[in-house]
Amino acid sequence: MIVLYIILAILLILFSLLFIPVNIYFDLLAKFMPQDESSEKVFRFNFTLKWLFIKKNFTSEKEAKQDQPADDKPAEPESSEDKPEKSENTLLDKLKTIISNRSVSEISDLIKNLLVLLKDLFVNILKHTKISNLNFNLCLVGSDAYRTALYYGKACGVVYPVLSYLKHYPKIFLNPEMNVYSGFLSAQSQTDFSVKIRVIPFFLIKNVLIFLLKALMLLKNKK
């Protein structure tokens, strides 16, 4: 009986850990459309995942690998017998079989239903997600003043409606900031983006499992 209590206590602890939020940090810097030879294109990003005491960082800046001494012996070619044969029943083949056995209207209905499930998945995940420190800055430079002003106007027509839409959901998007600048005095266009996402693993796993079950049932019923 004591062993059962211990197992139940461990399961309860593991289950409670799923309600501890995961924090995701993402930063991006990009420089593009250089107007002179001295300017170079730049693309850097940093992705950090934190949960409890676990921290994993992914960055675009790769460390230089130390040169390893090459072996004197040439590499022996792998024999064809050692290579494992690819299984014929891959996921792609199964999808081709599912699509080939349906009419155009059935495929259209299937895609429509899958899109509805994806929308429900996205909405349900956002209900338990907090997005804060969202900052987006875009500076556009053209070949002349006319093109710079033209790029600026087109970018404003896209960025600021998105900002207005995000501010309609203050419980999810906490004080988002998005700005567009005209770089009349800049050498090249530049954008920087940063965001912090806080999501609870339990609701993420639950909604993904529900989506997969519904998608499998949908595919099974359409056979």
Side-chain angles (χ1 to χ4, degrees):
M1 199 67 179
I2 298 177
V3 176
L4 181 60
Y5 287 149
I6 294 174
I7 294 174
L8 290 176
I10 294 173
L11 292 176
L12 183 61
I13 293 173
L14 293 175
F15 181 74
S16 62
L17 289 177
L18 294 177
F19 289 89
I20 298 177
V22 175
N23 292 315
I24 301 171
Y25 303 87
F26 181 77
D27 299 288
L28 171 69
L29 173 64
K31 296 181 179 181
F32 52 97
M33 295 172 59
Q35 301 303 317
D36 51 42
E37 296 180 355
S38 61
S39 302
E40 295 181 357
K41 294 182 179 179
V42 177
F43 181 81
R44 294 197 302 265
F45 71 87
N46 186 38
F47 178 84
T48 305
L49 185 68
K50 292 180 64 176
W51 182 65
L52 291 175
F53 52 86
I54 301 173
K55 181 179 180 181
K56 188 66 176 178
N57 188 48
F58 305 91
T59 180
S60 59
E61 297 178 356
K62 298 180 180 179
E63 297 181 356
K65 296 182 179 180
Q66 295 180 353
D67 296 334
Q68 297 180 355
D71 296 334
D72 296 332
K73 297 181 180 179
E76 297 180 357
E78 296 181 358
S79 61
S80 58
E81 297 178 356
D82 297 336
K83 295 181 180 180
E85 297 181 357
K86 295 182 180 180
S87 58
E88 297 180 357
N89 297 326
T90 60
L91 179 61
L92 184 59
D93 293 333
K94 292 181 180 179
L95 290 176
K96 289 181 179 179
T97 304
I98 292 173
I99 294 175
S100 61
N101 294 332
R102 287 177 170 79
S103 63
V104 176
S105 61
E106 289 176 340
I107 295 174
S108 177
D109 292 338
L110 179 61
I111 294 175
K112 188 186 299 183
N113 292 329
L114 287 176
L115 289 176
V116 171
L117 292 179
L118 281 172
K119 178 185 175 183
D120 294 339
L121 172 65
F122 182 72
V123 170
N124 290 329
I125 291 176
L126 278 182
K127 288 180 180 178
H128 304 282
T129 303
K130 299 294 183 183
I131 300 176
S132 60
N133 299 337
L134 193 156
N135 291 289
F136 175 78
N137 297 295
L138 177 62
C139 178
L140 292 172
V141 181
S143 58
D144 51 33
Y146 168 76
R147 293 190 178 276
T148 299
L150 184 64
Y151 294 157
Y152 173 76
K154 290 183 177 180
C156 289
V158 175
V159 172
Y160 289 115
V162 172
L163 177 62
S164 177
Y165 177 80
L166 297 181
K167 289 191 173 182
H168 279 80
Y169 301 92
K171 293 183 179 180
I172 300 174
F173 300 94
L174 307 178
N175 299 322
E177 291 291 337
M178 304 177 75
N179 300 292
V180 181
Y181 305 98
S182 55
F184 291 106
L185 302 178
S186 302
Q188 64 183 133
S189 300
Q190 175 177 327
T191 181
D192 61 87
F193 174 77
S194 62
V195 67
K196 175 185 175 183
I197 302 174
R198 180 177 177 270
V199 60
I200 299 177
F202 173 78
F203 298 105
L204 178 63
I205 296 172
K206 184 190 78 170
N207 290 310
V208 170
L209 290 177
I210 291 174
F211 166 77
L212 292 175
L213 288 174
K214 289 183 177 180
L216 290 174
M217 292 175 61
L218 181 63
L219 294 173
K220 185 178 181 181
N221 294 333
K222 291 291 182 179
K223 288 183 179 180

